[in-house]
Amino acid sequence: MRFLDNYPREVKVFLAASLINATGSALMWPLITMYVYGELGRSMQDAGLVILIQSLGGIAGQLLGGSLYHKVGVSRLIVGALAMNALVLFTLPAASSSWRLFIIAMGLVGLFNALSMPAIQAFIGFRFAERRAELFNIVYVANNIGVAAGTALSGFLADISYMLSFVLNGVSSAVFAVFFFVYLRQVGDTRGTVSAESKKAQPRAVSNWKLMGNTRIYLFMALGSLFLLIGNSIWNTGVSPFIISEGLPKKYYGFLWTLNGILIFAAQPLVALVKRWFAAGSAAQMTASAVFYLSGYIVILTMPSYAGMLFAMLLTTLGEMLIAPAMPAFISEHAAHGAPFYLGLTGGIGAVGRVLGPFFMGSLFDAGGLAPTAWLACGVAVLAVGFFVIHAYGSRRGALSESAEAVKSA
């Protein structure tokens, strides 16, 4: 990829390792609902319960990861979390013999996987501060190339063995842990690498409770993310069982996510135009993202067919491409030394949507099929648009206030 020529070798190695880890993760996560519903013979409500438990673990992991970043250190936090995640994944085949053990194991997968997320994002924001927004997007694209590859294989692996997918995910997580262990020993501890200006803006000694009081940075953005994630659960607990109930091959579901991964790479020029014409700032990009998500859910509601699913995936992928790099970029630019905490807090609040979404969607699907889940997705997407508009307005007011203070002090 020629666009990486301007980046140092360590960035390229980091991207390659991220791609491998993303490929391994994508072998497993699209199949959980199918495994519970199709292999274990449980209801969609039970499948939603498994994802709920996994998401609860994810919330705890996000909050802990953001809070422990400066206390534990980058290497211990990232490497330890990835290693524990790999260990749990390796034990998943044995745990699946018991429904209770399987639920507990999935909760631990959610915990340890999420524990590393805010730490990795903060590491990127601190180490590559000058080009962080650009790099967040490149890492996002690289990860989703891995998702495209993994999901393309996931449907085929499901026909062979679900457990093979789980074990290969564990292998990729272990490889990622080893990579970070070696990589961080070479580059050193970058957890406090912030500019002098940033240090003035956010002192090291500020407590987490005081950081939480600065709601302008995170609250409405996090609530918008929460509602988007409730709606996005329609893919796992609405579209997935719809494909099974229609008698379509399992690989058709994998093709949807393969399209998602291809678009994330191929549609970058289109998203760049959207940013240039309609959404220049990260706050505006979040609002535009929610509008694209809403459009996709409307398509699912009005075109309940596989062709409609493909079109809806195109629209929601554009929304994903806008919001995924925008949120960590906004926090990294505005939160300075407190960025790890805000990344974890925002991720934790947003992940509540992953808790509520599958359970509600699964219950609605059991009761009435795809249509009720699509109505719910549309409703929460409207709420997400509203919260992102409030966030954009608040961040704009905050920027104006800071400018006024700068003029007074000049």
Side-chain angles (χ1 to χ4, degrees):
M1 299 180 187
R2 291 185 178 180
F3 67 89
L4 293 178
D5 290 345
N6 295 327
Y7 287 91
R9 182 177 177 274
E10 67 170 293
V11 172
K12 299 174 185 177
V13 175
F14 179 84
L15 292 175
S18 298
L19 189 150
I20 292 171
N21 184 60
T23 302
S25 297
L27 292 174
M28 174 182 168
W29 68 262
L31 301 178
I32 293 299
T33 301
M34 286 187 172
Y35 178 70
V36 174
Y37 184 68
E39 190 77 7
L40 298 183
R42 296 275 178 167
S43 68
M44 277 307 302
Q45 190 169 0
D46 284 341
L49 177 63
V50 171
I51 298 175
L52 185 150
I53 297 299
Q54 185 180 6
S55 300
L56 285 174
I59 293 173
Q62 290 268 12
L63 296 175
L64 281 173
S67 300
L68 295 176
Y69 184 89
H70 291 296
K71 297 175 183 177
V72 174
V74 183
S75 182
R76 291 179 185 175
L77 186 57
I78 296 178
V79 175
L82 290 170
M84 291 301 297
N85 188 50
L87 180 62
V88 175
L89 287 167
F90 288 141
T91 62
L92 202 56
S96 64
S97 60
S98 165
W99 177 241
R100 290 183 179 180
L101 285 178
F102 180 74
I103 291 177
I104 293 171
M106 291 307 299
L108 292 175
V109 168
L111 172 68
F112 292 124
N113 186 53
L115 194 63
S116 64
M117 288 181 182
I120 293 173
Q121 289 180 327
F123 173 80
I124 294 170
F126 285 143
R127 179 152 185 84
F128 309 105
E130 297 80 7
R131 307 174 73 175
R132 60 164 71 99
E134 183 182 353
L135 193 58
F136 275 128
N137 189 58
I138 293 175
V139 170
Y140 166 71
V141 173
N143 284 345
N144 280 277
I145 292 173
V147 169
T151 49
L153 293 172
S154 63
F156 296 102
L157 287 175
D159 289 328
I160 301 172
S161 170
Y162 283 101
M163 292 306 159
L164 179 61
S165 301
F166 300 162
V167 171
L168 288 177
N169 187 8
V171 171
S172 70
S173 186
V175 170
F176 206 33
V178 172
F179 161 77
F180 262 108
F181 178 76
V182 175
Y183 178 64
L184 291 173
R185 285 174 66 90
Q186 293 176 347
V187 302
D189 187 350
T190 60
R191 57 180 151 160
T193 305
V194 292
S195 65
E197 181 180 352
S198 296
K199 287 179 180 178
K200 291 179 183 178
Q202 187 63 67
R204 284 177 179 264
V206 176
S207 69
N208 290 345
W209 289 110
K210 190 169 183 180
L211 289 173
M212 287 181 66
N214 192 3
T215 56
R216 178 178 59 84
I217 289 181
Y218 73 92
L219 182 60
F220 297 108
M221 172 176 60
L223 290 173
S225 173
L226 184 155
F227 284 110
L228 278 189
L229 288 173
I230 290 177
N232 209 41
S233 299
I234 193 173
W235 294 108
N236 286 330
T237 42
V239 172
S240 172
F242 174 79
I243 287 176
I244 293 176
S245 64
E246 290 293 300
L248 297 172
K250 296 174 184 176
K251 62 185 177 183
Y252 276 31
Y253 183 64
F255 289 157
L256 287 174
W257 291 106
T258 302
L259 174 63
N260 171 269
I262 292 172
L263 286 171
I264 286 169
F265 181 74
Q268 285 293 323
L270 177 58
V271 172
L273 287 177
V274 172
K275 291 179 180 179
R276 187 180 310 152
W277 292 344
F278 307 109
S282 53
Q285 289 162 23
M286 297 177 209
T287 305
S289 166
V291 173
F292 275 110
Y293 272 105
L294 175 59
S295 302
Y297 301 147
I298 291 174
V299 169
I300 293 176
L301 179 64
T302 57
M303 296 175 58
S305 63
Y306 191 70
M309 306 302 168
L310 291 170
F311 186 33
M313 179 59 80
L314 186 153
L315 292 170
T316 57
T317 298
L318 293 176
E320 178 188 346
M321 293 169 70
L322 286 166
I323 197 171
M327 289 185 67
F330 180 89
I331 293 172
S332 297
E333 290 164 6
H334 292 81
H337 192 78
F341 174 78
Y342 286 120
L343 286 166
L345 181 61
T346 303
I349 293 173
V352 172
R354 289 197 181 96
V355 172
L356 300 176
F359 187 76
F360 289 145
M361 292 284 183
S363 300
L364 287 173
F365 187 90
D366 286 339
L370 183 63
T373 66
W375 276 111
L376 176 60
C378 290
V380 293
V382 170
L383 292 174
V385 172
F387 279 115
F388 284 131
V389 168
I390 295 171
H391 171 74
Y393 177 75
S395 63
R396 198 160 51 241
R397 284 285 301 272
L400 290 174
S401 299
E402 290 170 5
S403 299
E405 289 296 324
V407 170
K408 288 180 182 179
S409 60

